[in-house]
Amino acid sequence: MDALKKYHEENSERYLSELLDWLRIPSISADQKYKGDVQKAAQYLSDRFAEIGMDRVEIYPTAGHPIVYAEKILGKDVPTVLVYGHYDVQPPDPLELWTSPPFEPVIRDEKIFARGSCDDKGQVYMHVKAIEAMLRNGLLNCNIKCMIEGEEEVGSASLELFCEEYKSMLDCDVILISDTALISNSIPSITTGLRGLSYVEVTVVGPNKDLHSGVYGGAVANPVNVLCSMIDSLKDSNNHITIPGFYDQVELVSQEERAAMNEAPFNEEIYKEELGIQAVMGESGYTTLERTTIRPTLDVNGIWGGYIGEGAKTVLPSNAHAKISMRLVPHQDPNEITRLFTAHFKSIAPPGVKVAVQAHHGGYPVVIPVDSLEYKAAHQAMEVSFGKAPIPQRSGGSIPIVALFEKVLGVKSILMGFGLDSDDIHSPDEHFGLFNFYKGIETIPYFYQFYAQMKKDASV
Ligand code: BES
Ligand code: MN
Ligand code: MN
């Protein structure tokens, strides 16, 4: 591993400048205007895979955005690791809140500022460079397959079909993913759970046109008022979600596990200070760590209707809209939750309005066992590179494809991410620490080394 250290030192500047070039390509999957750029970002990545000597480098077109594939196969007697990640990014809006433009990456305070720097191009690129270093130094000891998609931020619709179609090409022992966060740079952690997701858009329609709010106000249901009170009624005074059946399948986490969970380093004062809030708020009876990991949520992500232009226009709007996400925990089923939400939301509509509910993409929650060889290899890898044992911790975010990998490929994932919750992913000024980028590149080869060794020991 000394050879790797030397190689990394000699090439670290190039690693970074290549990543910055990739970050300059605005691969925004949600916006059709950027379809060409998403394609360019796929091309850039596949060129880098080819350059480092990967085989079978290919860009697979899909009904949506392309999937980049590359592999290095040594033989049947070593384990196969499938690396998954995504090169698409969230839209950068609101642009005016960025200190520097989202697709003109800059280094400030030892951090890379750009959309996608952490989520997930920066973390994918750690793998590309770790693989390069292993290949160049003859240290690769596992088969590696890389599958990097361009639709994660919009629901991974094409990837599910791709996995079904290319099941045998994707055959592997474990899936390795860096798309999550550490507790902090001095407290390494491995993500052992992700929440699921049900995402709906609701529309409340009242009168057949916008009305004068003086002439009609007081006599006709105002869809914006109605929508607000309907949403308000979805939680009681304990911030418990009121949809009948919503909690029926929720996994009951034992007192022991909850106690262990709350041992994790977390300072609520710093948390509040960083967010500029006076108090946290959530479901009664649970801590902040529990509320963001083992408990489901319901949040409005956007709400609109009526007049929002300059000045005051007196109008009673004809309709109102909201986008609502529900984060789910084991063993909630996103389809069932969407069904329960829809039935309930329609049932609470007062006479005088019509309600429509449209389902967007969703995903199943996952838990990652900590007693597998794969987990142990990741644990050891982090322990060596950080000089400290990593803590298992569930995350509040979602990566819906992880549950589908289990279902379609029958393979579990390891979530070895190197971001921080404070990296402002999906927000203005997204960033990724240089420490984190290089620490990832340093840690990944250890994973392969330990994993190959453990598999070998287990087979004799
Ligand atoms: N990488 C994130 C998920 C994540 C973030 C996991 C932080 C753990 C910690 C991923 O790119 C993402 O943003 N997922 C979406 C869901 C998707 C269907 C749009 C999410 O969690 O909102
Ligand atoms: Mn991501
Ligand atoms: Mn994301």
Side-chain angles (χ1 to χ4, degrees):
M1 288 287 172
D2 281 348
L4 278 188
K5 194 165 177 243
K6 181 153 173 287
Y7 186 84
H8 289 328
E9 271 164 18
E10 286 166 1
N11 293 281
S12 63
E13 274 174 42
R14 179 177 54 80
Y15 292 173
L16 180 61
S17 71
E18 288 173 7
L19 170 60
L20 299 191
D21 283 343
W22 198 26
L23 291 171
R24 286 192 186 94
I25 308 171
S27 47
I28 307 165
S29 51
D31 190 337
Q32 282 309 304
K33 282 204 302 286
Y34 293 89
K35 205 170 166 52
D37 290 302
V38 177
Q39 173 75 38
K40 268 187 214 157
Q43 186 66 53
Y44 184 90
L45 177 62
S46 76
D47 289 348
R48 301 289 81 71
F49 274 133
E51 196 172 75
I52 65 171
M54 294 292 276
D55 300 324
R56 207 168 163 178
V57 180
E58 228 157 311
I59 300 176
Y60 288 89
T62 72
H65 300 298
I67 295 162
V68 178
Y69 182 83
E71 66 177 33
K72 194 75 191 177
I73 303 299
L74 304 179
K76 283 199 164 52
D77 47 346
V78 293
T80 303
V81 177
L82 175 70
V83 177
Y84 163 79
H86 63 96
Y87 66 86
D88 65 321
V89 301
Q90 286 276 329
D93 320 67
L95 278 175
E96 63 278 13
L97 296 184
W98 285 76
T99 307
S100 52
F103 299 106
E104 294 172 27
V106 289
I107 313 293
R108 280 197 306 272
D109 308 330
E110 319 253 296
K111 298 176 186 89
I112 309 160
F113 282 84
R115 172 58 88 231
S117 55
C118 172
D119 185 14
D120 184 31
K121 282 165 157 172
Q123 298 206 62
V124 165
Y125 216 65
M126 301 176 318
H127 285 270
V128 182
K129 296 298 99 175
I131 295 169
E132 170 191 324
M134 290 188 289
L135 285 172
R136 292 275 184 268
N137 290 280
L139 287 169
L140 190 65
N141 52 5
C142 292
N143 299 317
I144 298 187
K145 299 177 175 179
C146 296
M147 174 174 70
I148 314 298
E149 71 155 319
E151 293 188 320
E152 194 275 343
E153 300 290 9
V154 291
S156 303
S158 304
L159 191 64
E160 185 179 359
L161 299 173
F162 185 81
C163 288
E164 277 160 12
E165 195 176 336
Y166 292 92
K167 202 170 179 304
S168 61
M169 177 174 90
L170 301 173
D171 181 49
C172 61
D173 296 286
V174 64
I175 298 165
L176 181 61
I177 305 176
S178 296
D179 193 20
T180 52
L182 302 165
I183 293 177
S184 78
N185 284 350
S186 54
I187 308 166
S189 56
I190 298 175
T191 302
T192 52
L194 292 165
R195 286 197 283 193
L197 183 68
S198 159
Y199 199 113
V200 294
E201 183 166 336
V202 299
T203 304
V204 175
V205 180
N208 57 9
K209 59 192 161 221
D210 284 4
L211 303 174
H212 189 288
S213 65
V215 176
Y216 293 95
V220 176
N222 177 326
V224 178
N225 293 15
V226 168
L227 176 60
C228 290
S229 47
M230 287 172 74
I231 289 171
D232 186 55
S233 79
L234 296 177
K235 287 189 193 176
D236 66 17
S237 58
N238 291 317
N239 282 308
H240 212 70
I241 296 158
T242 56
I243 300 167
F246 186 86
Y247 291 97
D248 284 2
Q249 310 302 323
V250 167
E251 170 197 42
L252 280 179
V253 178
S254 70
Q255 285 303 333
E256 290 82 2
E257 204 179 328
R258 285 178 67 184
M261 194 170 274
N262 287 304
E263 287 293 308
F266 174 72
N267 184 321
E268 194 148 291
E269 289 312 311
I270 295 175
Y271 185 80
K272 289 191 288 191
E273 203 177 298
E274 278 180 353
L275 299 178
I277 54 174
Q278 302 301 310
V280 295
M281 185 173 154
E283 190 184 359
S284 301
Y286 295 92
T287 64
T288 297
L289 277 178
E290 291 169 339
R291 288 170 179 168
T292 54
T293 54
I294 58 164
R295 298 300 294 170
T297 66
L298 184 153
D299 277 295
V300 176
N301 294 244
I303 183 162
W304 69 103
Y307 182 69
I308 53 165
E310 206 180 311
K313 175 189 176 189
T314 51
V315 63
L316 194 161
S318 125
N319 51 62
H321 313 260
K323 292 185 194 273
I324 298 174
S325 68
M326 288 162 278
R327 296 282 170 172
L328 312 178
V329 298
H331 307 282
Q332 287 178 297
D333 178 324
N335 298 319
E336 172 66 2
I337 292 296
T338 300
R339 199 185 62 74
L340 291 174
F341 176 94
T342 306
H344 177 67
F345 205 70
K346 287 187 168 170
S347 80
I348 59 173
V353 299
K354 287 194 208 73
V355 168
V357 179
Q358 184 203 344
H360 287 283
H361 54 70
Y364 285 83
V366 281
V367 270
I368 307 291
V370 297
D371 55 4
S372 67
L373 280 189
E374 294 78 36
Y375 186 87
K376 285 177 188 144
H379 180 100
Q380 262 199 40
M382 284 199 136
E383 183 161 18
V384 171
S385 74
F386 282 87
K388 209 185 253 184
I391 298 174
Q393 190 172 59
R394 294 200 203 184
S395 167
S398 309
I399 311 178
I401 199 70
V402 176
L404 284 167
F405 285 152
E406 251 184 84
K407 196 179 111 197
V408 178
L409 303 176
V411 183
K412 294 228 186 263
S413 299
I414 290 294
L415 300 166
M416 191 168 77
F418 292 88
L420 294 175
D421 281 342
S422 56
D423 282 344
D424 290 322
I425 63 170
H426 295 205
S427 299
D429 283 350
E430 176 178 352
H431 55 274
F432 190 38
L434 290 174
F435 169 86
N436 304 70
F437 178 58
Y438 291 119
K439 194 51 104 178
I441 298 174
E442 179 191 342
T443 307
I444 291 162
Y446 286 120
F447 173 82
Y448 289 98
Q449 188 201 330
F450 293 134
Y451 187 48
Q453 191 59 49
M454 285 178 187
K455 282 292 249 194
K456 204 165 155 189
D457 294 346
S459 71
V460 291

